[in-house]
Amino acid sequence: MNVSIIAIGDELLIGQVIDTNSGDIAIRLNPMGWRVNDVQVIADNSDDIIRAIDRAFEISNVVITTGGLGPTKDDITKATLCRYFGGELVENKDVLENVKRVIERRGLQMNELTARQAFVPTSCEVIQNQVGTAPIMWFERDGKVLVAMPGVPFETREMLDSAVLPRLFSRFPVDGHIEHRNVMVTGFSESLLAMTIAEWENALPDYLHLAYLPNAGIVRLRIDGHHPDKALLMSEINYQHSQLVKMLGTEHVLADKDIPLEEILLQLLIDKKFTIATAESCTGGNIAHLITSIPGSSEAFKGSVVAYSNEVKHNLLGVSEASLSEFGAVSQQVVEQMAEGACRALNTDCAIATSGIAGPDGGSDKKPVGTVWIAVKTPTRLFSFCHRFPGNRQRVIFRASMASMIMAVEEIRKG
């Protein structure tokens, strides 16, 4: 099934807001074998919206729009869809009651503008928005469907999963069976990985396809399969998945399924009954943030010391003043003492420590911007490594956080 996405809003075109809805929609459709033909980002302009819908329907059977459904004057999507599909805007009592429930849950008072959300085109079927006030509208014409969704990302995500996608998949069932398998790989560049597994990849059956999805320090390999015989597909994709994992080896396979790196680390700690802390300078608590974003992290994560200043490194983590003076904060000696100090201060089995120069200033010839020392302490080993990360400040922090967790997984696996 072919799908087109239209993201509506002046704020998207001027960069004030980033369009994340299109990616959220696509990532949910692709595993079901649906193809996103195109994504259009357009202004809050009625003629532009109509032209975008015409173009989308030329190449797709399903169109999903996001944005422009609010109660203010700049939100014109609802009126434009009424113009496109016919009918008139009338108050829908069920929508009004739903809006009242949502407003009451938020502890707010209904006002005249919010009440206007209950006006919807008579040409659509309403899907009640359980997490927001903008109703979702389902339009059909000549066997094709347009679904108008709110622009608020969490509303779009939740209502896609709970109401919209199940109905679309029922309305347009996929022919055949679809399966996916993932492998999270480290220690390879994308090109080197492709060369390493080229013979295996070239021998895949024509109903299996391999996708490469690189990130900082990780390449996610996804095997996609589509075949009318479900038993055959399951057997072959499971076999090829196991062959790929075996070929790459346990030292390079972080996980044999698609889960975040922080979840891989957390599950490993829980399995080994280890606890961990972080001592972060240049990453500013980002590693702790990533780990604690995973439900159940309290089973293994005890806490973090954001030791940004030398004073904190010395007073809270026990880094010696001599090391700070002789080698500098961004050094092997200091980062290893930070890791040991975190284990001691927070009474953990393991620790991750970072100290570096995220930029844009602060670098030197010997220690340029992007220099980051990372140390990992386990019950049996203390290991450190100096990285040189390219990119701006945010990129250095992100790459340092990812590299730290990869190092931690590798070191903890060693025992």
Side-chain angles (χ1 to χ4, degrees), residues 240-257:
Q240 295 295 349
H241 181 258
S242 65
Q243 289 297 105
L244 180 59
V245 171
K246 182 179 178 181
M247 184 189 324
L248 293 170
T250 54
E251 70 272 23
H252 293 299
V253 175
L254 290 170
D256 60 2
K257 55 185 176 180

Side-chain angles (χ1 to χ4, degrees), residues 98-290:
N98 185 69
V99 171
K100 288 179 180 177
R101 284 194 295 270
V102 171
I103 291 295
E104 288 173 2
R105 281 203 308 268
R106 295 177 178 176
L108 302 174
Q109 295 292 322
M110 177 79 82
N111 59 45
E112 182 181 348
L113 276 182
T114 307
R116 291 288 300 172
Q117 294 284 54
F119 282 78
V120 296
T122 55
S123 51
C124 80
E125 184 176 347
V126 172
I127 298 174
Q128 299 291 359
N129 184 350
Q130 300 302 319
V131 291
T133 60
I136 297 160
M137 296 171 289
W138 177 289
F139 298 87
E140 290 205 33
R141 176 187 288 179
D142 301 326
K144 297 188 175 186
V145 169
L146 182 146
V147 183
M149 302 202 65
V152 181
F154 88 89
E155 293 183 24
T156 293
R157 284 193 297 270
E158 294 203 24
M159 293 310 299
L160 271 172
D161 292 337
S162 64
V164 175
L165 293 185
R167 179 167 177 171
L168 282 174
F169 296 149
S170 176
R171 176 70 175 78
F172 300 100
V174 176
D175 184 25
H177 300 278
I178 297 165
E179 290 292 333
H180 307 272
R181 296 292 183 273
N182 291 272
V183 181
M184 307 286 282
V185 183
T186 190
F188 289 95
S189 66
E190 184 181 6
S191 57
L192 180 58
L193 181 58
M195 293 169 62
T196 302
I197 63 174
E199 185 176 349
W200 169 85
E201 184 179 1
N202 292 335
L204 285 174
D206 59 7
Y207 53 86
L208 296 183
H209 170 73
L210 185 69
Y212 294 76
L213 297 96
N215 203 343
I218 297 175
V219 180
R220 174 160 54 99
L221 295 175
R222 190 187 70 235
I223 309 173
D224 301 318
H226 185 197
H227 197 277
D229 187 331
K230 184 176 182 179
L232 184 150
L233 175 61
M234 292 287 290
S235 175
E236 185 64 26
I237 201 170
N238 287 336
Y239 170 75
Q240 295 295 349
H241 181 258
S242 65
Q243 289 297 105
L244 180 59
V245 171
K246 182 179 178 181
M247 184 189 324
L248 293 170
T250 54
E251 70 272 23
H252 293 299
V253 175
L254 290 170
D256 60 2
K257 55 185 176 180
D258 184 16
I259 58 175
L261 178 55
E262 49 268 28
E263 187 173 344
I264 296 171
L265 172 59
L266 186 62
Q267 191 57 58
L268 177 61
L269 290 162
I270 292 171
D271 290 344
K272 288 186 172 288
K273 295 181 169 53
F274 287 166
T275 56
I276 196 168
T278 66
E280 304 184 54
S281 183
C282 63
T283 49
N286 191 53
I287 301 167
H289 162 70
L290 291 170

